[in-house]
Amino acid sequence: MSTSHPGPAALRVGAAVVEISPPPGTPMAGFAARTEPSTGVHDPLTVRALAVDDTCWITVDVCGLHEDTCTRIAGSLPLLPERVAITATHTHAGPCVMPGRLGGHDPRLLVEIVLACREATEAAVASQRPATLQYGESRGVDVARNRRHPERAVDPPVQVATFRDASGEVVAWIVLYPCHPVVLGPENRLISGDYPAFTRRVLEERFPGSVALFLPGTAGDINSGHPADASYTLSGSAGRTMEQARKIGEHVAASVLGTRLLPVSDSAKTSAARRTVSVAMDPRDAVSPAELSRQWEAEAVSADPGRGSLLNAWKQWAMDRRPEEEMSWEAPVSVFNWEGLTLVGLPGEPFLATAEAIASGVKGPVLVTGYTNGCPGYFPAADEYDFGGYEVEDAHRYYGMPAPFAPGSAEALIQTALELVGGLQ
């Protein structure tokens, strides 16, 4: 990692980590085909808080967080709720902590996570000191793949921001790389942060005392090279091992350390804004949930165990449907400005094109991540709906949502984000 000479410190920055080790037997989220609980912890679930002036970005090593949980966390902190953003790193090797979604939740563990978010934030605020911000990005990481269209080459950058104190020591990192943390497959039963945990470990070992936050970007259609429906079975996960997660994580870390960092040349004060936008859901099934349930029940008779578990999850989804269900959702969009570095937090799982569209409309460096302040499912780009696939046709069932989000929902998030950015710049 090469850096230019930092200018005078203009921000007050602190960071902290709180670790949680869910006990063996904790249900795991991320794969409907995996019904067996965890057998142990490979690396602890971490809650990480980065406090910059009177704002705070929090990351939690789970597949997703319910918007009600995020509201509860933000309301418990010594900051204005709109100046707090909470991102799930989206590891598919984390515990179930989403009421009604992604396999349900462990109530005691969810309480522990809420308390850990408060503990980490208070510690981060208490440790704040003057710091300078630097930013850089590098391409050619060559890990991310378009899982819906393998023939389409993608090369999203790894984006890096660091905060250094007056002595030159790194206080904190933000690393964003849009690639699903799903290297570990459905056969894995160890709690882990997946490859981002290894990336963070390298950075923190290289710069002792620093705290690294990983943002998963808008990775709804991006992973390390397997189709989404590979998760429907408990077999065929060759190569999706802890060793492979380590290799990828360390490779991403090497890209981070090789990134040239420069000061962000903007004297703007720290600012933040949040707004909700109503997005509609659009049922796409040709028959009723009851009829689908009968079809799935018939198929389950001869299905393999992984497929059978998936079909059981879908049948439960059908049983939960009600005629009066609300077919819209209030989507929160958060925007921060740290001395000219813009951060955009979107809910759910937007596609990579969403970040690209926002970045094209923002002056200066911008980090755009999904999985923030709520995770209700996928937000495909409008031109992806005709292609269909898991993200469009099926994922809403595992998310416990009545239907997929309607075409145009991702574009509504983009418009809202750009309007908020415009209000801060």
Side-chain angles (χ1 to χ4, degrees):
M1 179 180 65
S2 61
T3 63
S4 65
H5 183 72
L11 301 168
R12 290 191 58 78
V13 178
V17 182
V18 174
E19 294 186 352
I20 299 172
S21 293
T26 298
M28 297 178 69
F31 302 104
R34 178 177 57 196
T35 58
E36 296 296 318
S38 69
T39 57
V41 173
H42 182 273
D43 44 273
L45 182 163
T46 66
V47 171
R48 294 160 183 261
L50 173 59
V52 178
D53 292 336
D54 62 347
T55 68
C56 187
W57 207 287
I58 301 169
T59 64
V60 184
D61 289 337
V62 294
C63 195
L65 289 168
H66 196 286
E67 58 275 12
D68 292 347
T69 300
C70 295
T71 298
R72 179 181 172 190
I73 292 169
S76 72
L77 304 180
L79 299 166
L80 293 174
E82 64 269 21
R83 303 180 85 79
V84 175
I86 305 155
T87 300
T89 62
H90 201 54
T91 172
H92 284 50
C96 291
V97 292
M98 286 190 77
R101 300 179 194 161
L102 298 181
H105 72 295
D106 179 323
R108 288 176 296 181
L109 181 58
L110 187 55
V111 168
E112 193 172 356
I113 287 173
V114 171
L115 294 175
C117 287
R118 179 171 182 173
E119 180 182 349
T121 300
E122 290 178 343
V125 170
S127 69
Q128 283 182 311
R129 54 195 184 274
T132 55
L133 167 63
Q134 294 188 310
Y135 170 84
E137 59 182 62
S138 297
R139 295 188 183 269
V141 182
D142 196 30
V143 171
R145 302 288 186 271
N146 187 318
R147 71 184 191 183
R148 290 169 56 79
H149 306 283
E151 73 283 1
R152 298 180 186 176
V154 295
D155 182 24
V158 59
Q159 297 178 275
V160 186
T162 64
F163 299 85
R164 291 178 178 267
D165 65 16
S167 65
E169 297 296 319
V170 177
V171 178
W173 312 71
I174 287 187
V175 175
L176 186 152
Y177 187 61
C179 182
H180 249 78
V182 68
V183 176
L184 299 172
E187 294 168 300
N188 170 64
R189 291 172 60 192
L190 291 176
I191 297 291
S192 172
D194 208 285
Y195 80 86
F198 294 96
T199 299
R200 295 181 314 214
R201 181 181 300 172
V202 170
L203 301 179
E204 292 172 349
E205 288 179 351
R206 183 69 65 89
F207 292 84
S210 67
V211 174
L213 278 71
F214 182 92
L215 299 179
T218 57
D221 56 343
I222 305 296
N223 68 14
S224 51
H226 51 271
D229 58 12
S231 302
Y232 287 179
T233 176
L234 293 176
S235 60
S237 297
R240 297 176 69 181
T241 63
M242 197 67 73
E243 176 61 16
Q244 182 66 6
R246 181 190 66 78
K247 289 180 179 178
I248 289 177
E250 292 179 354
H251 175 70
V252 172
S255 298
V256 171
L257 293 171
T259 299
R260 177 170 172 77
L261 302 179
L262 298 170
V264 179
S265 55
D266 193 318
S267 60
K269 294 181 179 180
T270 298
S271 56
R274 182 187 295 183
R275 184 191 303 168
T276 59
V277 56
S278 184
V279 289
M281 286 175 270
D282 182 19
R284 297 174 62 86
D285 297 319
V287 298
S288 69
E291 175 58 29
L292 287 171
S293 182
R294 286 190 288 269
Q295 295 175 10
W296 295 329
E297 187 169 2
E299 181 186 349
V301 173
S302 57
D304 63 51
R307 179 68 178 175
S309 296
L310 178 72
L311 293 171
N312 284 334
W314 285 0
K315 286 191 292 182
Q316 184 60 54
W317 169 84
M319 291 174 59
D320 291 341
R321 303 285 55 84
R322 299 291 181 269
E324 68 278 6
E325 284 185 290
E326 182 67 43
M327 283 293 172
S328 65
W329 187 75
E330 296 302 310
V333 177
S334 287
V335 172
F336 287 13
N337 188 308
W338 289 339
E339 203 181 49
L341 174 65
T342 301
L343 297 93
V344 177
L346 305 175
E349 303 201 50
F351 284 15
L352 182 61
T354 298
E356 294 172 343
I358 292 173
S360 68
V362 176
K363 178 183 177 182
V366 56
L367 303 174
V368 184
T369 189
Y371 314 97
T372 301
N373 295 331
C375 197
Y378 287 84
F379 288 99
D383 60 2
E384 287 285 350
Y385 281 79
D386 287 344
F387 185 78
Y390 166 78
E391 299 87 351
V392 173
E393 305 286 355
D394 299 325
H396 65 283
R397 299 186 182 109
Y398 189 38
Y399 270 105
M401 300 297 281
F405 288 106
S409 297
E411 289 70 25
L413 297 180
I414 293 169
Q415 180 180 348
T416 302
L418 289 175
E419 290 174 356
L420 289 174
V421 171
L424 295 183
Q425 289 186 335

